[in-house]
Amino acid sequence: DAKTTQPPSMDCAEGRAANLPCNHSTISGNEYVYWYRQIHSQGPQYIIHGLKNNETNEMASLIITEDRKSSTLILPHATLRDTAVYYCIVREYNTDKLIFGTGTRLQVFP
Amino acid sequence: GAVVSQHPSRVICKSGTSVKIECRSLDFQATTMFWYRQFPKKSLMLMATSNEGSKATYEQGVEKDKFLINHASLTLSTLTVTSAHPEDSSFYICSAQNLRLAGVYNEQFFGPGTRLTVL
């Protein structure tokens, strides 16, 4: 079973920051948090991952709480093309498996 | 960046026939590939883990004799749906992972998916 829970849907105005929360209270100390997104009928696209420090790349920022029980993906300036289902995943340490939960459907509106 | 391709992108077949789906890592070597299936409006469900040169490991509830997986090289894994039935109609997606370096996590890159329709 997936180790993460996410809200089923969120809306965001174009140009504003989209903050997508994720709970992973049973995460183990050596397990990473990964974020992917899936645009309709395509394969998932890697966004970012982290262990305990906050991370930033050209797509997004990842904020992980100190106790590592939750995290937030931040898209700093959402565009219409960011409309997708966003998956927060705890990657299994020994097997590298990605067990997908239900994700958050982000709708960016004009 | 790392590219994973799948072939075919969509396939329609008759009930009872077998269908082979290919997953290729185009610009990197993948010791491990994963196969998922996704039903409409649902999340991805992991079916099996495929390691180059060894037998695949199937998730609970996935029939290994129905979904044959072969990972013959570091750039190619195949999924064969044997004796396909309409309930096997789904979106099949693979992912590929770089050679794992000690203490370093490598991202998994996903293919574009194959839509299978069984009539």
Side-chain angles (χ1 to χ4, degrees):
Chain A
D1 290 347
K3 283 189 170 183
T4 59
T5 56
Q6 300 175 252
S9 63
M10 295 183 65
D11 290 338
C12 178
E14 189 177 20
R16 304 297 292 269
N19 297 296
L20 290 85
C22 178
N23 288 322
H24 32 79
S25 58
T26 62
I27 192 169
S28 300
N30 52 11
E31 290 179 326
Y32 282 69
V33 178
Y34 275 72
W35 284 81
Y36 283 80
R37 71 181 182 184
Q38 187 179 28
I39 296 169
H40 182 62
S41 294
Q42 297 181 22
Q45 177 190 23
Y46 167 80
I47 301 174
I48 199 168
H49 73 279
L51 182 62
K52 49 186 170 183
N53 296 324
N54 297 337
E55 302 288 343
T56 295
N57 63 20
E58 64 278 4
M59 289 183 69
S61 295
L62 174 61
I63 309 297
I64 303 174
T65 58
E66 194 168 340
D67 62 7
R68 302 213 322 125
K69 292 185 177 182
S70 65
S71 61
T72 301
L73 178 74
I74 301 173
L75 307 179
H77 306 286
T79 71
L80 298 179
R81 285 178 292 185
D82 292 323
T83 293
V85 178
Y86 286 77
Y87 294 99
C88 168
I89 305 164
V90 172
R91 184 165 171 173
E92 292 190 1
Y93 179 74
N94 289 326
T95 64
D96 291 333
K97 292 180 184 178
L98 297 176
I99 306 300
F100 283 72
T102 53
T104 295
R105 184 173 298 277
L106 176 67
Q107 179 69 53
V108 181
F109 58 90
Chain B
V3 179
V4 177
S5 69
Q6 285 185 237
H7 178 80
S9 58
R10 57 178 66 229
V11 57
I12 301 172
C13 70
K14 293 182 178 180
S15 186
T17 61
S18 294
V19 175
K20 180 184 286 189
I21 302 169
E22 292 184 348
C23 176
R24 293 182 185 274
S25 56
L26 297 186
D27 51 2
F28 67 98
Q29 293 183 322
T31 53
T32 305
M33 291 183 173
F34 301 86
W35 286 95
Y36 298 81
R37 66 187 299 183
Q38 184 176 33
F39 293 108
K41 299 188 185 298
K42 299 294 185 181
S43 184
L44 283 76
M45 185 193 80
L46 179 65
M47 299 175 67
T49 302
S50 166
N51 290 298
E52 186 264 337
S54 62
K55 289 184 177 181
T57 304
Y58 291 81
E59 295 299 301
Q60 191 172 8
V62 178
E63 299 174 62
K64 62 180 181 181
D65 294 330
K66 177 150 186 77
F67 299 100
L68 300 179
I69 293 172
N70 183 275
H71 192 158
S73 76
L74 286 172
T75 59
L76 174 64
S77 177
T78 60
L79 168 68
T80 301
V81 183
T82 62
S83 186
H85 291 284
E87 57 266 29
D88 298 322
S89 298
S90 188
F91 193 49
Y92 291 88
I93 308 170
C94 71
S95 70
Q97 180 174 290
N98 279 6
L99 287 172
R100 183 171 177 179
L101 304 176
V104 176
Y105 265 110
N106 295 303
E107 296 89 343
Q108 286 182 28
F109 298 95
F110 283 79
T114 296
R115 186 160 303 281
L116 170 64
T117 302
V118 184
L119 302 177

